[in-house]
Amino acid sequence: MNRIRTAVIGTGFMGRVHLEALRRVESVDVVEIAATSRDKAIAAAAGFNVLNATGDWREVINDPSIDAVHVATPNASHYEITKAALTAGKHVLCEKPLAMSVAEAQELTDLVASKNLRGGLNHNLRYYPMVQQMRSMREAGAFGEILVVQGTYSQDWMLYESDWNWRVDPKVSGPSRVMADIGSHFFDMAEHVSGLKVTEVCSDLQIFCPTRKQPKGGGESFSGKLGSAGETVDTKVVTEDFGATLFRMGKARGTMTASQVSAGRKNGLVMEIYGTKGGACWRQERPEELWLGHRDAPNQILLKDPSLLDEKARGFADYPGGHAEGYPDTFKQLFRRFYASIADPSLTADYPQMADGLRQMKILDAELASHKSRAWVSVPA
Ligand code: NAI
Ligand code: SOE
């Protein structure tokens, strides 16, 4: 089989996670890393045994020997890099959110559709084995007709006014923080698991830290929790620390909150679905467990074990029961499927795509409009 030559752009939190996961995809060679400086790229390349390093992502785009590109930079550059890569004929696996606006996301979705290329969007959280089990059980009718979808995505890493990250700057992150950053994962999973589409939203957003202490030297994701940021400047905050959305999925109803100021919650995505026959609840902080709720029998906790999973979900669990699979494994599962679809163009893409990124931008746009108008807003199909 021809090996696929790929490059990773961005060497922060996600750049490193992508590089690790790519080592677990048998058909792929990472041949170049791009960072904001050549020195930074060289350091990352040395750590991951990658031959080429550049301080300019355009060199990756201009290299005709590179087949695919991973975009793991902050949000504002996703559109430009993804567009350039697709135009140059490269497959793209882009981090979420796909772009800064619906218009940009639409353009990228149209562009990838017009080319014979693959465009993946990294809503990796779908690929925890027990999330796939919940989906498979719903598809098999175990929960009956879905009535209620509810949950949260709660974190605490932005609780203090001394907490800072590029996500606070709307020029880098976009017009929303928590709803775009983590609310988008919630809605991607909610639609993926329930099989329903969000049709209308009613949102309320809140800024609890109106001013934050921005480090003059910047700082990568979560680094503020590890120590002093050095010299800082007081900066006005314009994007939300917390958001709540009531939503409708046709007849089904739902609620979600997204928060980066919930003390003690580290990466607390909780997804609950309730139907006419039963319910289920999955928690990212205890990813190997799926709670199954029954009206007329004792509730159950199903522990991840391939032998106990539905056949459809089993393909997402590579290790035996009791051998935990977590966050890094979700990237491996998504990337394997992405590269399998490049190796075999006849395969139907079974991973989140740019159209799913566009979908999240539409939901986000409706949430922002709803908060502003204090009214329900429809989400276009
Ligand atoms: P980060 O701040 O840790 O890393 C971003 C890196 O990109 C930094 O090293 C920065 O120097 C580099 N960079 C910025 N502009 C660049 C350019 N033009 N060329 C090359 N490198 C550039 O941020 P993090 O957390 O890695 O986030 C990156 C993206 O990944 C964001 O879009 C975020 O939403 C997404 N993300 C997704 C996660 C998931 O679970 N799917 C988890 C965390 C982040
Ligand atoms: C920070 O809120 C973050 O790293 C998000 O950017 C990711 O998408 C989420 O999976 C974990 O939290």
Side-chain angles (χ1 to χ4, degrees):
M1 179 175 71
N2 286 340
R3 298 193 60 78
I4 300 166
R5 290 166 62 83
T6 197
V8 174
I9 302 178
T11 56
F13 174 32
M14 270 312 96
R16 293 190 297 273
V17 174
H18 281 230
L19 283 159
E20 281 180 19
L22 281 163
R23 286 282 181 263
R24 304 167 79 189
V25 182
E26 293 81 356
S27 57
V28 175
D29 292 321
V30 181
V31 295
E32 187 150 20
I33 292 179
T36 42
S37 74
R38 192 166 146 70
D39 284 350
K40 212 171 148 185
I42 287 173
F48 285 94
N49 200 22
V50 172
L51 275 183
N52 302 308
T54 174
D56 181 0
W57 58 267
R58 286 172 190 83
E59 287 187 16
V60 167
I61 306 297
N62 292 332
D63 181 343
S65 78
I66 292 177
D67 305 304
V69 165
H70 286 236
V71 182
T73 57
N75 309 351
S77 49
H78 292 181
Y79 167 77
E80 186 188 7
I81 300 175
T82 300
K83 184 176 173 181
L86 290 172
T87 305
K90 298 184 193 319
H91 307 282
V92 178
L93 194 298
C94 185
E95 264 305 340
K96 41 57 61 178
L98 176 56
M100 299 278 271
S101 67
V102 171
E104 285 184 358
Q106 183 72 62
E107 194 184 329
L108 295 176
T109 305
D110 293 345
L111 183 60
V112 76
S114 72
K115 304 243 171 198
N116 203 11
L117 294 168
R118 300 294 191 171
L121 208 265
N122 200 35
H123 278 300
N124 55 305
L125 306 184
R126 287 183 187 186
Y127 293 128
Y128 283 99
M130 301 317 276
V131 172
Q132 288 301 316
Q133 175 66 16
M134 187 162 41
R135 180 176 199 241
S136 169
M137 290 179 72
R138 188 272 303 160
E139 283 179 341
F143 309 126
E145 183 190 358
I146 302 302
L147 306 174
V148 176
V149 177
Q150 65 193 38
T152 185
Y153 202 147
S154 299
Q155 304 176 328
D156 67 5
W157 69 296
M158 298 298 289
L159 177 59
Y160 303 140
E161 68 166 13
S162 54
D163 293 324
W164 178 269
N165 185 255
W166 56 259
R167 288 168 178 80
V168 180
D169 180 351
K171 288 196 288 304
V172 188
S173 185
S176 149
R177 178 154 30 98
V178 298
M179 291 314 213
D181 189 40
I182 50 179
S184 63
H185 278 307
F186 176 91
F187 279 120
D188 179 75
M189 189 181 288
E191 291 194 341
H192 183 67
V193 167
S194 70
L196 302 172
K197 293 284 178 207
V198 176
T199 47
E200 284 168 280
V201 295
C202 179
S203 299
D204 179 39
L205 312 180
Q206 176 68 336
I207 296 170
F208 291 113
C209 283
T211 306
R212 285 183 183 269
K213 304 216 168 285
Q214 177 175 9
K216 287 191 172 165
E220 284 185 352
S221 304
F222 298 99
S223 60
K225 288 185 96 175
L226 294 173
S228 160
E231 223 186 315
T232 62
V233 53
D234 284 357
T235 302
K236 187 170 185 280
V237 174
V238 295
T239 54
E240 75 282 3
D241 298 309
F242 171 89
T245 294
L246 280 175
F247 58 93
R248 296 178 179 151
M249 299 175 117
K251 178 178 160 191
R253 293 292 186 265
T255 62
M256 71 81 83
T257 57
S259 167
Q260 289 176 334
V261 292
S262 296
R265 290 292 170 213
K266 307 305 174 191
N267 210 14
L269 170 54
V270 179
M271 182 62 58
E272 297 182 75
I273 60 173
Y274 299 100
T276 50
K277 291 189 187 163
C281 171
W282 175 82
R283 297 171 176 271
Q284 183 168 230
E285 291 179 341
R286 303 184 73 95
E288 297 257 297
E289 298 175 3
L290 181 63
W291 177 92
L292 297 170
H294 307 290
R295 154 82 182 240
D296 302 317
N299 297 333
Q300 297 167 297
I301 299 210
L302 176 59
L303 272 183
K304 187 218 74 177
D305 181 330
S307 69
L308 301 176
L309 299 187
D310 289 359
E311 202 172 325
K312 273 188 181 167
R314 203 174 291 156
F316 294 85
D318 286 352
Y319 302 155
H323 299 70
E325 283 170 279
Y327 187 72
D329 300 276
T330 63
F331 290 77
K332 176 189 73 176
Q333 296 294 351
L334 194 157
F335 293 179
R336 278 194 179 154
R337 286 164 175 80
F338 177 69
Y339 282 100
S341 79
I342 293 175
D344 181 352
S346 71
L347 283 183
T348 304
D350 63 347
Y351 47 83
Q353 299 172 70
M354 292 196 182
D356 298 283
L358 170 60
R359 173 91 196 125
Q360 288 312 316
M361 292 305 301
K362 287 181 179 173
I363 294 175
L364 178 65
D365 219 38
E367 289 178 301
L368 295 179
S370 164
H371 170 70
K372 205 168 162 193
S373 62
R374 302 171 71 95
W376 281 89
V377 171
S378 298
V379 180

